């Protein structure tokens, strides 16, 4: 009996030693993972069941039991979070797995004073510390969110509400901001708001009463309507004319394209006169003309024009029909095509044109009509101009003109062949000083030879000008001059050469008050007979704008013709008062 019991005690001791060695081995295997967790500063929540005192561990080790690992709970996070300033220090959690482990050596090796170990905290205390740290972080996050609420409201609406669970995590695990929201967060929340466009001061207009125009497709149209009364001492401007009160209506319009490269313009006017009392006058005249400018390749430009005009023959014209109640109406259809080419400082222009004149019947005082078909003709012409640009403001040029007029009737009612050939040459200068001075003038010789040998050629000096000068802002002075050959169907007469000049001035007296004046001189020299006409005219007017669209206008005009031919002298004075509308 005594021999058996020692063996049993020895067997129990051996089993205890084996259990102790086994427990020591298991804790030794677990120690590297704990050290790695400490070195990488990763920590998870530790349940109370996992925190045991040293005495409990020794008792379990003596019995040969292994401390069971704490089962994961729903409260335990599935991932480790990086340590932060509010986390529990690593030294608070015991890392000694066994009594056989060597004691931990403190980082500070100074021998001045021994480091006192921190008192061990209970599980409840550590949990309270962790809760306080989390509450402090949440309060700081709410304070920061409140400061930037005004700048991130648009981002929250665009990207949706942030997940509530994500806000409980560390800032490193928070949802990343979008690129747009990040850019908007950089804006200064205290920046001053820009004022509305309507509140900004607009630049004053140069002419606050100028027509604004109407947008129609790719064109801007500026129409003008003038309606008023005209009192004239000589209603039809003839040697036998008498006074009358007329209703006068004038319609003008201008259309300009807003194309990027090429351009087009359309200009037109119409004048209608009707007698209210006095000498009977019923006439209408007008013209419409369009121009197209096209830029081609290699510094080549094309200019095309097309126009139509209807004007009654003036009672003072050389071809007027005597003893008629109504003069014939002349209708003209004309067009031209020109090409301009720049080669260095040389400028070349070639222009071909065609114009066809048609005359209506004249109504005589006895009620009959007199045909004017022997005056119908077509003019073909071509001009060649060569210029040299001395400077951008001055370009001298020479011009040669060749034309051919063909009558619809080979022989007129008097038995003459009126077809003719025109030849002209002139030299001139083109000016371009911007708004100050622009235009051109030229002088030369013009000759028209009639096919019928019994009629002498019409020839004489040629003067042409079209210049605008602005000595100061609001003032424009214009000078126009023209030389024309007027054919005649009077038996034995070739025609005449007419020199016409106009000097005009326009002044903006005030923003809503504009004044204008004009002086005119016409000299007509008859070919084949010793005859000439001199016509002088003067005109002055005022326009007072009530607003941008409505104005009152008035003008006074005088005209006098003096001739060495019998029955041609006359004087006409007139006054106009009316209302002017524009858009």
């Amino acid at each position: 009996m005594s021999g058996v019991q020692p063996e049993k005690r020895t067997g129990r001791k051996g089993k205890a030693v084996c259990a102790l060695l086994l427990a020591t081995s298991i804790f030794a295997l677990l120690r590297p993972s704990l050290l790695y967790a400490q070195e990488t500063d990763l920590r998870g929540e530790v349940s109370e069941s996992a925190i045991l005192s040293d005495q409990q561990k020794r008792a379990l080790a003596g019995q040969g039991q292994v401390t069971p690992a704490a089962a994961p709970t729903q409260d335990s996070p599935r991932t480790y979070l990086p340590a932060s300033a509010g986390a529990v220090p690593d030294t608070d959690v015991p890392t000694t797995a066994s009594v056989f482990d060597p004691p931990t050596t403190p980082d500070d090796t100074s021998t001045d004073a021994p480091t006192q170990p921190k008192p061990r905290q209970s599980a409840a205390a550590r949990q309270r510390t962790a809760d306080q740290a989390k509450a402090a972080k949440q309060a700081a996050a709410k304070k920061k969110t409140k400061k930037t609420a005004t700048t991130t409201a648009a981002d929250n609406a665009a990207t949706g509400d942030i997940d509530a669970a994500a806000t409980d995590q560390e800032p490193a695990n928070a949802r990343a901001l979008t690129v747009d929201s990040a850019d908007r967060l950089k804006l200064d929340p205290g920046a001053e708001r820009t004022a509305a466009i309507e509140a900004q001061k607009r630049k004053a207009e140069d002419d606050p009463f100028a027509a604004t125009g109407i947008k129609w497709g790719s064109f801007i149209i500026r129409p003008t309507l003038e309606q008023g009364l005209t009192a004239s001492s000589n209603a039809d401007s003839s040697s036998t004319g008498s006074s009358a009160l007329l209703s006068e209506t004038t319609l003008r319009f201008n259309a300009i394209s807003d194309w990027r490269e090429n351009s087009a313009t359309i200009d037109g006017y119409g004048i209608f006169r009707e007698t209210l009392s006095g000498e009977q006058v019923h006439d209408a005249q007008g013209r419409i003309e369009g121009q197209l400018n096209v830029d081609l390749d290699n510094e080549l430009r094309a200019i095309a024009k097309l126009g139509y005009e209807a004007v009654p023959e003036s009672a003072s014209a050389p071809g007027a029909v005597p003893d008629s109640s109504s003069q014939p109406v002349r209708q003209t259809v004309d067009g031209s095509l020109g090409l301009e080419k720049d080669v260095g400082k040389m400028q070349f222009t070639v222009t071909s044109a065609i114009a066809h004149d048609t005359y209506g019947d004249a109504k005589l005082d006895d009620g009959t009509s007199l045909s004017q078909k022997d005056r119908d003709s077509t003019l073909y012409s071509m001009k060649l101009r060569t210029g040299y640009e001395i400077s951008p403001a001055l370009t001298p040029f020479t011009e040669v003109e060749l034309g051919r007029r063909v009558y619809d009737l080979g022989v007129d009612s008097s038995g003459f062949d009126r077809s003719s050939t025109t030849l002209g040459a002139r030299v001139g200068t083109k000016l371009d000083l911007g708004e100050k001075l622009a235009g051109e003038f030229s002088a030369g010789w013009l000759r028209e030879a009639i096919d019928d040998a019994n009629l002498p050629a019409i020839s004489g000096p040629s003067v042409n000008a079209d210049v605008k000068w602005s000595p100061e802002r609001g003032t424009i002075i214009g000078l126009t001059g023209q030389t024309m050959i007027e054919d005649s169907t009077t038996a034995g007469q070739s025609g005449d050469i007419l020199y016409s000049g106009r000097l005009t001035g326009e002044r903006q007296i005030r923003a809503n008050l504009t004044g204008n004046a004009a002086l005119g001189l016409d000299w007509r020299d008859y070919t084949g007979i010793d005859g000439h006409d001199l016509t002088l005219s003067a005109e002055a007017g005022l326009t007072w704008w009530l607003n941008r669209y409505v104005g009152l206008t008035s003008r006074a005009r005088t005209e006098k013709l003096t001739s060495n031919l019998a029955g041609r002298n006359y004087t006409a004075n007139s006054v106009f008062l009316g209302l002017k509308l524009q858009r």
Side-chain angles (χ1 to χ4, degrees):
M1 294 293 294
S2 61
V4 176
Q5 292 178 355
E7 293 180 359
K8 292 182 178 180
R9 288 194 297 269
T10 303
R12 294 191 189 98
K13 293 179 180 180
K15 291 180 179 180
V17 171
C18 292
L20 182 60
L21 293 175
L22 181 59
T24 303
S25 301
I26 292 173
F27 280 101
L29 292 173
L30 293 176
R31 179 175 175 79
S33 62
L34 295 176
L35 291 175
Y36 180 79
Q38 294 175 2
E39 292 175 0
T40 56
D41 294 334
L42 296 177
R43 177 179 297 280
E45 296 183 1
V46 183
S47 61
E48 294 182 2
S49 60
I51 304 175
L52 302 177
S53 62
D54 294 341
Q55 295 179 357
Q56 292 174 341
K57 290 181 179 180
R58 293 191 188 96
L60 292 175
Q63 296 178 3
Q65 299 180 4
V66 180
T67 304
T73 61
Q74 295 180 357
D75 297 335
S76 302
R78 296 181 180 274
T79 58
Y80 287 95
L81 300 177
S84 62
V88 180
D90 295 339
T91 56
D92 294 342
V93 181
T95 57
T96 304
S98 174
V99 295
F100 298 97
D101 294 335
T104 303
T105 302
D107 295 338
D108 188 3
T109 58
S110 176
T111 58
D112 295 341
T115 302
Q116 296 295 333
K118 295 182 180 180
R120 185 180 303 277
Q121 296 180 351
S122 62
R126 286 192 296 272
Q127 186 65 31
R128 286 194 300 271
T129 303
D131 294 341
Q132 292 175 0
K134 182 183 294 185
K137 289 190 294 181
Q138 292 179 354
K142 290 180 180 179
K143 184 176 181 181
K144 182 178 180 180
T145 304
K146 184 177 181 181
K147 290 182 179 180
T148 59
T150 57
T151 58
T152 58
D155 297 338
N156 293 337
T159 59
D161 296 331
I162 300 176
D163 189 358
T167 57
D168 294 336
Q169 297 180 359
E170 295 295 332
N173 292 335
R175 178 179 294 178
L177 296 175
T178 62
V179 176
D180 296 338
S181 62
D183 292 340
R184 286 194 290 268
L185 285 175
K186 295 179 182 179
L187 298 177
D188 184 6
E192 184 179 357
R193 185 186 182 96
T194 303
I197 296 177
E198 292 80 1
Q200 296 180 0
K201 185 177 180 180
R202 296 189 302 176
K203 182 181 178 181
E205 298 183 57
D206 294 336
D207 188 357
F209 293 92
T212 57
I214 302 172
K215 182 71 174 179
W216 184 59
S218 60
F219 284 83
I220 298 178
I221 303 176
R222 293 180 173 87
T224 301
L225 176 63
E226 189 176 271
Q227 175 63 52
L229 299 176
T230 299
S232 176
S233 62
N234 191 340
D236 62 353
S237 299
S238 67
S239 58
T240 59
S242 60
S243 62
L245 179 64
L246 308 174
S247 172
E248 185 172 331
T249 304
T250 303
L251 174 63
R252 303 179 187 275
F253 70 92
N254 169 260
I256 301 177
S257 67
D258 58 354
W259 303 340
R260 178 175 299 179
E261 296 180 356
N262 305 319
S263 64
T265 59
I266 302 176
D267 295 289
Y269 78 91
I271 301 176
F272 308 90
R273 299 198 309 164
E274 189 73 22
T275 297
L276 298 179
S277 64
E279 184 177 357
Q280 295 299 311
V281 175
H282 310 278
D283 62 33
Q285 65 180 21
R287 178 174 176 82
I288 182 171
E289 181 180 24
Q291 178 174 326
L292 176 63
N293 301 329
V294 180
D295 290 335
L296 305 176
D297 295 336
N298 300 322
E299 299 294 332
L300 186 64
R301 293 176 297 277
I303 301 175
K305 295 181 181 180
L306 182 64
Y308 169 78
E309 183 179 39
V311 179
E313 187 85 342
S314 174
S316 60
V321 179
D323 301 328
S324 63
S325 61
S326 174
Q327 295 293 330
V329 176
R330 176 178 55 85
Q331 301 184 62
T332 303
V333 178
D334 56 83
S336 64
L337 177 62
L339 295 176
E340 296 181 354
K341 174 69 174 179
D342 293 345
V343 180
K345 292 188 176 183
M346 297 295 296
Q347 298 178 359
F348 300 95
T349 304
V350 56
T351 304
S352 59
I354 181 174
H356 180 71
D357 294 334
T358 303
Y359 289 83
D361 296 341
K363 296 181 180 180
L364 304 179
D365 293 338
D366 58 4
T368 60
S369 298
L370 180 63
S371 176
Q372 301 290 302
K373 287 188 176 296
D374 55 352
R375 301 177 65 183
D376 297 348
S377 64
T378 303
L379 175 62
Y380 306 90
S381 64
M382 178 172 290
K383 296 179 181 179
L384 177 62
R385 173 182 291 193
T386 303
Y388 182 79
E389 183 181 298
I390 298 177
S391 69
L394 187 62
T395 305
F397 65 86
T398 60
E399 186 176 79
V400 177
E401 178 182 359
L402 178 63
R404 176 68 179 173
R405 183 180 295 274
V406 179
Y407 280 81
D408 293 353
L409 299 179
V411 179
D412 64 4
S413 57
S414 300
F416 293 94
D417 184 2
R418 297 281 179 176
S419 297
S420 59
T421 301
T422 303
L423 180 63
R426 60 186 63 93
V427 295
T429 300
K430 183 177 180 181
L431 304 174
D432 188 1
L433 295 176
E435 297 181 354
K436 280 292 184 181
L437 181 64
E440 67 178 43
F441 63 89
S442 62
W445 192 266
L446 185 62
R447 184 178 188 273
E448 180 176 313
I450 302 174
D451 292 350
D452 197 313
N454 297 322
L455 299 174
I458 305 172
S459 62
S462 172
V463 179
N464 295 279
D466 187 3
V467 181
K468 290 186 180 299
W469 174 45
S470 178
E472 61 180 5
R473 182 176 294 277
T475 301
I476 299 176
I477 298 176
L479 175 64
T480 59
Q482 189 175 11
T483 301
M484 297 181 297
I485 291 180
E486 296 179 329
D487 295 329
S488 176
T489 56
T490 304
Q493 295 185 10
S494 301
D496 62 79
I497 185 168
L498 174 65
Y499 301 94
S500 177
R502 294 290 183 275
L503 178 64
T504 62
E506 183 176 348
R507 172 66 178 174
Q508 188 174 7
I509 303 172
R510 297 179 57 185
N512 62 340
L513 183 61
T514 303
N516 58 79
L519 295 175
L521 185 149
D522 295 338
W523 174 263
R524 180 178 286 110
D525 187 13
Y526 293 91
T527 301
I529 59 174
D530 185 16
H532 58 266
D533 296 340
L534 174 63
T535 304
L536 299 175
S537 63
E539 180 179 326
L542 288 173
T543 301
W544 176 37
W545 293 102
L546 304 177
N547 52 46
R548 186 185 287 268
Y549 309 106
V550 182
L552 298 177
T553 182
S554 64
R555 59 179 173 266
R557 176 180 174 84
T558 180
E559 182 176 293
K560 183 177 182 179
L561 185 148
T562 304
S563 176
N564 62 352
L565 299 178
R568 293 192 53 77
N569 296 340
Y570 77 88
T571 300
N573 301 315
S574 63
V575 176
F576 172 85
L577 178 63
L579 188 67
K580 190 173 185 179
L581 307 176
Q582 68 176 11
R583 183 68 173 88

